[in-house]
Amino acid sequence: MKLLINLNPVMNPGMNPGMNPGMNPGMNPGMNPGMNPWMNPGMNPGMNPGIVSLLDDLLWAMEKQQVTQMCLMDLSAAFDTVAHKVLLEVLGNEYGLGEMSLEWFANYLSDRQCCVNINGSLSSSKRLDFSVPQGSLLGPVLYSAYASTLRYVIPDSFQLHGYADDHAIKQSHKPTFDEANTVRNEISTTMGDVKVWMDQID
């Protein structure tokens, strides 16, 4: 008889306190209507609802004889640019974490240091005031909480799709040059706003 055990803590809701509603309902993105579950890596290890939703929208636009302009964003660098102060504000303002919980997270994020080892030569340590711990259970959950505020940057004329650190904004319109140029300019402006969002430090 074989015993199969899932050792992946991100994919196993029972192993991840950030995804287990019984252990931590306030931090479970699936339990929080302000955050889309498909933005959280590990929320659905099978079919990705974000991709299904995106494909469905594209097909509907084609049915209506519309074209779609889309900008794909790989925000993997955002893992390293998340300002701890901003993240704590998001956890408090967006998800209602209390003072004691915020102090716990502040303690968890503070006083982290990194160094580089090249051929046995170790650099001096540098304090990290940015980034979420990658490879940890809380890292993806904290990043998803932070990334959920991206929706405030995107104009209502666009639809935002996302999964983990991959996002897309799109807008469907009639196939005319005027509308195409208008949407293209809006995308360019929005990308500038996204850069400002990623660069925020307080």
Side-chain angles (χ1 to χ4, degrees):
M1 182 173 93
K2 270 189 179 177
L3 179 62
L4 300 178
I5 301 175
N6 183 355
L7 298 177
N8 187 333
V10 175
M11 293 302 205
N12 187 341
M15 290 288 293
N16 190 335
M19 304 234 200
N20 190 322
M23 292 177 69
N24 194 342
M27 277 301 294
N28 186 344
M31 301 296 286
N32 192 324
M35 183 174 186
N36 292 318
W38 45 262
M39 292 185 75
N40 194 310
M43 204 58 196
N44 189 335
M47 179 60 73
N48 179 353
I51 295 176
V52 174
S53 172
L54 176 60
L55 181 60
D56 185 59
D57 289 348
L58 293 175
L59 291 175
W60 272 112
M62 291 171 63
E63 284 286 330
K64 293 185 286 186
Q65 296 186 347
Q66 293 180 331
V67 295
T68 300
Q69 292 194 56
M70 183 164 53
C71 180
L72 305 175
M73 301 175 285
D74 178 2
L75 302 181
S76 56
F79 270 92
D80 297 322
T81 61
V82 175
H84 296 166
K85 181 179 179 182
V86 175
L87 175 58
L88 292 172
E89 289 176 357
V90 169
L91 293 175
N93 298 334
E94 297 289 324
Y95 296 95
L97 267 65
E99 184 177 345
M100 184 176 295
S101 297
L102 290 175
E103 287 179 2
W104 186 92
F105 277 106
N107 183 61
Y108 173 74
L109 294 169
S110 65
D111 294 328
R112 290 187 174 272
Q113 298 185 349
C114 72
C115 59
V116 178
N117 186 343
I118 301 178
N119 296 328
S121 179
L122 198 63
S123 70
S124 58
S125 297
K126 182 172 179 61
R127 177 179 166 178
L128 296 176
D129 293 322
F130 298 85
S131 83
V132 292
Q134 298 187 43
S136 65
L137 291 176
L138 278 177
V141 178
L142 291 175
Y143 172 76
S144 294
Y146 172 80
S148 69
T149 62
L150 181 60
R151 67 184 186 275
Y152 297 128
V153 180
I154 307 302
D156 293 336
S157 57
F158 288 99
Q159 285 184 304
L160 173 66
H161 297 266
Y163 183 77
D165 54 5
D166 295 317
H167 294 75
I169 60 169
K170 67 176 180 59
Q171 185 178 147
S172 299
H173 56 84
K174 295 177 181 178
T176 64
F177 285 111
D178 288 341
E179 289 206 37
N181 287 331
T182 299
V183 173
R184 190 180 309 114
N185 291 334
E186 288 180 6
I187 289 177
S188 179
T189 300
T190 301
M191 288 300 96
D193 295 337
V194 170
K195 184 182 185 307
V196 172
W197 172 81
M198 289 185 66
D199 292 341
Q200 62 181 327
I201 59 175
D202 54 25

